[in-house]
Amino acid sequence: MRRDTFLKSLAALAAAGSLPLSAQAAVAVKMMLPANPGGGWDTTGRALGKALQDAGQAASVTYDNKGGAAGAIGLAQFVNGSKGDPNAMMVMGAVMLGGIITGKPPVNLTQATPLARLTSEYNVFVLPANSPFKNMAEVIAQLKKDPGSVKWGGGSRGSTEHIAAAMIAREVGVDPSKINYVAFRGGGEAISAILGGNVTVGGSGFSEFAEYISTGKMKPIGVTSGQRLKGVDVPTLKEQGINVEIGNWRGVYGAPGITKPQRDALVAMLEKATKSKAWAEALQKNDWTPAWLAGDAFGEFVDQEFASLRATMVKSGMV
């Protein structure tokens, strides 16, 4: 067979998703990051891109940040612009489910292809260094006195920190619909608002605040985990008599309309990436907990999470 004919045959097989994984390696991956730079999805997507390259699964990775509406704007662009693209991926997570529940966008996750859950992380609530409050108990006392005077800052409406703030209010006897929640389009904006004292309490994944906590610019006052995080001396909400526990997981979806072999190839690429040195370093650096779940099992998990989150948000007066 002539070389040019052979190469054309390879290209046709690759487009159909029929090549063995070894021959499909080192593709040009397009990564949708449905948030502004500096947040959890941005950090996760870029760490994943590095891991894909480190594992020899991607020759290159291009990133497209499209923040807003808890990821719904990025989701819409991904769904409408990536149909059938076997090299397109989108980072997403629990926050996107909450945004879909509250915002009711015209697009939905069911239009894309579930690939894998990657990590799990709990939220930490922090005070700016110059806060007049010293701990969560003082914040709660003020919340009970005047709910609107306590500004909770975090991700988009429906994010896990928004849900957690509403759950905290409900648990301490405050009407959740009266909380003053300030939503930010990206982690960088939220961090600036907290450091500037423009919000009373900030909430996000521990990794996003770790640098500022370690330098004393933020004071952690509670985490949403069931037990204290390993190596982190911050009391849980439950320890402080507030019966709230909620996690924040992150995962990856593929484009709408890809074939099962194409989906399986992407899952295999992701699995190899999560076994790379680069990914191990990202887990350690960001205090992420591995939470691998792939394919149909991941799709079923998302469906269950959606139903559970919706029930929690209805109870908390957010829907």
Side-chain angles (χ1 to χ4, degrees), residues 226-278:
Q227 299 178 333
R228 290 199 182 197
L229 301 179
K230 186 178 180 181
V232 179
D233 187 27
V234 183
T236 67
L237 295 174
K238 287 187 171 183
E239 278 182 66
Q240 302 178 71
I242 306 166
N243 188 30
V244 170
E245 179 179 347
I246 183 171
N248 184 16
W249 53 268
R250 298 187 181 112
V252 185
Y253 265 59
I258 59 174
T259 65
K260 186 178 185 303
Q262 288 170 339
R263 183 197 72 169
D264 293 345
L266 287 174
V267 169
M269 285 171 58
L270 290 169
E271 188 168 16
K272 288 180 181 178
T274 59
K275 293 177 180 177
S276 70
K277 181 182 178 183

Side-chain angles (χ1 to χ4, degrees), residues 21 32 41 63 90 106 116 142 163 165 172 192 214 297 301 313:
L21 291 177
M32 166 58 71
W41 288 344
Y63 306 95
M90 178 188 70
Q142 181 63 29
I163 295 168
V172 301
S192 295
S214 64
F301 164 80
M313 292 167 77

Side-chain angles (χ1 to χ4, degrees), residues 11 18-19 27 32-33 68 89 121 125 130 146 154 171 182 226 245 249 252 259 266 281 292 298 305:
S18 302
L19 278 174
V27 298
M32 166 58 71
L33 306 175
M89 299 186 198
E121 186 177 27
F125 284 104
N130 61 353
D146 181 5
E171 287 296 319
V182 183
E245 179 179 347
W249 53 268
V252 185
T259 65
L266 287 174
E281 290 172 348
W292 178 261
F298 174 51
E305 278 285 286

